[in-house]
Every structure is written in structure tokens, then in C-alpha cells.
Amino acid sequence: MSQFLSNCTADAMASAAGQLMAGDLVAFPTETVYGLGADASNSHAVARVYEVKGRPNDHPLIVHIASMERMGEWASDVPEYAIALARSFWPGPMTLVLKRSELAGDFVTGGQDTVGIRVPDHVVALALLEAFEKVGGKGVAAPSANRFGHVSPTNAGAVIEELGDYLQSGDVVLDGGACNVGVESTIIDCTSGAPKVLRPGAISVAMIEECTGLKTTESDSSIRVSGSLENHYAPIAKVLLCETPTPGQGFIAHSSIKTPEGVIRLAAPNNDEEFAQLLYSALREADTQGLAEVVVVQPIGIGIAVAIRDRLARAANGR
């Protein structure tokens, strides 16, 4: 077992919260992917997140909080529709981008006047955030726990594989099992009169519009957010879309699509939700097996299929 791995007892949560207060990093599971967390009010700790990930400093981080009651500490102007979204979908796979308060420093926001906030829907993440609050913490800044541009980790082993060489003795990886959703949160710009989806996720446009009674506007926002580069979420293997797999290639597709002879099946999900859950671990498996190419038959339709296609389009552009 890695020196960084920890189980998730109440004592472990209290200890991890103490590590965050001391400026160390704590990787933890959420329902989407594993995050690499630091005290969001500690510039030195947050700088280590950028260093460990190899992430550009102008890329903002998402602040994770234990409940929507903390939202006002990080945001200075919260529209009614953002409150409605928070009530409906938090805890859950949704990040709201709001005008920042003084608490949200440039080192978290990437120098922008906005901040991304979310309440994750995972028992370990919430226990950690609540334990952190008890020792005086305000929020945990946490991007995905992987090197910048690589495939996000959806289990603790993948975190160690990605970051084990970059972590220090005080850092911790909380093992909370596999993530349920499997792709990153929906990011919604809430700084204008209507919501704008900046990154698709499990909370769909239809869900947002039904909740707010507002039509979402086109994503023409200039706000920088996580995972918005054209090349991202990419394994070492080349990801190919809209192709027929040939012998020796990896293959990811719905279970209803048969595996051609000589092709290496990496995942055969039964539905779109399972597709999202398995996608990143399947892409990682391609690299574990040393495959040069992976062919993916993308899911069609709306809902989380939109998020899957978004991630695959970026993965196909490589690192």
C-alpha cells in the first residue's frame, strides 16, 4: 500500500482536515472524479496544487464547500437563479461561477473576478469538508487529482499512479472507492441575467432550464474554467472517434456493439451513465496495456452523453 493512502474513518477525516490546515494536500473522492485539495485561503498550499499538477497559474480552481450556506462567503453577488440551482442540485455534480468575494484570492481564481464553487455529493468529500470547517477551514480548492491535461482519476489507485512521485510526506490520499458519475461537474456561469453552461456534465441544460425557468444562453463567456482547453482528458494512446476498430486497437463502446476479432475491448457499458463511470478508467487501461490507439463509439443523444462527447473530443486532440 502507498504511504499516502488512508482509509476513511472519522479519525482519518479529522487528521486530513488538520493536514489541510497545516498547508498539506489531501486528495479525496467526489461523485465526479478525485480532487487534489488544498486550503482555499492558503496561497502557499494552493501554489503546491499547481506545482503537483503542472497546471498553468491562470487556470482557476473550484472551491469545494460543505453546504450552500457557505456560498455567500466566497461570492459577492448571487442571483436568484443561482440560489435555485444550488437548492436543487447541491450536493451534486454542479459548479456555479459567481462574482468573487474578497475571500477568493487571485491564487484561486486565476486572477479573474469570478470564483467557481460547488458542494460535492460524496460521503467522504462531505465528511472531510465538515471536519475542515470544525477546525476553522472555509473551503477546499480542488481540481482533478491528475497531471494537467491527463485523464482524470476515478479511483485512489489512479491518483497514486498519477501523482505519487510529486506528493510530500504530509500529503494524504483518501480512498473512497470508485466515483459514481465519472466525468467532471457541469460548470455554469451565473454572472449575467441567465445561466451559461461553460462545461457540460451530469446536470444537463434541460435540468438547468427546468429548475430556473430561464433559457440558457450560448457559451460565449470569456471566463476561464477547468477543462476548457481543446486538448485535455487525454491518455498516452491516441483516441480515435468515428472509426471502425482494427486488430490491436483498444475499443470502448456500448455493450450492444460487438467487439471485432483481434480488437481489445476496454469497456462495454450498458447505458450512458455507465459509459461515463467507466470512460476514464478504460482510457487509463489502454495506457496500462501499452496500446497505441483506442477507438471509441460515442453515445448519441442528450443528458450525460453530451458531457461524454465533450470529453472525448478533447481527448482526441491529445495532450
Side-chain angles (χ1 to χ4, degrees):
M1 175 182 273
S2 166
Q3 60 174 321
F4 302 110
L5 274 181
S6 170
N7 60 14
C8 296
T9 63
D11 286 347
M13 293 300 110
S15 174
Q19 296 301 101
L20 286 171
M21 286 301 285
D24 293 317
L25 306 185
V26 176
F28 60 96
T30 75
E31 76 281 24
T32 57
V33 300
Y34 272 68
L36 180 65
D39 179 353
S41 61
N42 182 333
S43 61
H44 297 292
V46 171
R48 276 207 60 226
V49 170
Y50 283 95
E51 181 186 339
V52 167
K53 280 183 62 71
R55 183 185 178 97
N57 287 338
D58 65 350
H59 252 55
L61 305 181
I62 294 169
V63 177
H64 293 66
I65 53 178
S67 68
M68 68 176 288
E69 281 68 38
R70 286 277 186 187
M71 186 161 49
E73 295 181 6
W74 291 96
S76 62
D77 184 13
V78 183
E80 283 298 321
Y81 72 80
I83 293 170
L85 286 167
R87 284 184 178 139
S88 294
F89 301 119
W90 278 350
M94 175 186 73
T95 297
L96 301 182
V97 174
L98 299 155
K99 291 290 183 184
R100 76 183 195 182
S101 70
E102 287 186 15
L103 181 60
D106 282 345
F107 55 89
V108 166
T109 69
Q112 301 179 112
D113 65 355
T114 56
V115 63
I117 308 168
R118 101 172 178 100
V119 181
D121 187 16
H122 192 291
V123 63
V124 173
L126 290 172
L128 175 65
L129 293 167
E130 287 162 7
F132 188 51
E133 279 190 6
K134 284 179 182 173
V135 294
K138 301 278 191 183
V140 174
S144 55
N146 56 285
R147 294 290 284 174
F148 184 69
H150 293 201
V151 178
S152 300
T154 53
N155 60 67
V159 177
I160 298 294
E161 185 181 288
E162 276 279 316
L163 302 181
D165 291 342
Y166 303 91
L167 298 177
Q168 297 177 358
S169 59
D171 301 331
V172 181
V173 178
L174 296 173
D175 186 354
C179 300
N180 285 334
V181 175
V183 294
E184 299 79 2
S185 61
T186 305
I187 300 180
I188 307 169
D189 175 1
C190 297
T191 61
S192 61
K196 297 178 184 177
V197 175
L198 304 183
R199 179 177 72 183
I203 306 301
S204 67
V205 166
M207 293 162 73
I208 295 164
E209 292 181 347
E210 183 178 358
C211 168
T212 62
L214 298 170
K215 193 80 175 162
T216 58
T217 58
E218 288 300 310
S219 174
D220 58 355
S221 175
S222 61
I223 296 172
R224 295 187 306 278
V225 295
S226 298
S228 57
L229 298 180
E230 288 185 5
N231 53 334
H232 215 86
Y233 312 113
I236 297 168
K238 184 169 179 57
V239 175
L240 304 172
L241 309 175
C242 309
E243 294 193 18
T244 302
T246 57
Q249 290 181 323
F251 189 43
I252 302 170
H254 276 302
S255 57
S256 58
I257 300 172
K258 292 181 178 175
T259 310
E261 191 172 344
V263 169
I264 299 141
R265 191 67 175 235
L266 298 169
N270 293 308
N271 52 54
D272 290 351
E273 286 71 27
E274 202 172 281
F275 204 120
Q277 287 172 359
L278 298 175
L279 176 61
Y280 288 158
S281 58
L283 291 176
R284 286 182 170 278
E285 179 59 24
D287 288 345
T288 299
Q289 294 193 31
L291 303 182
E293 296 176 327
V294 179
V295 173
V296 185
V297 179
Q298 302 180 85
I300 58 174
I302 57 174
I304 202 164
V306 176
I308 295 167
R309 293 195 299 273
D310 171 80
R311 305 310 190 270
L312 286 170
R314 299 175 198 279
N317 285 324
R319 291 183 182 170

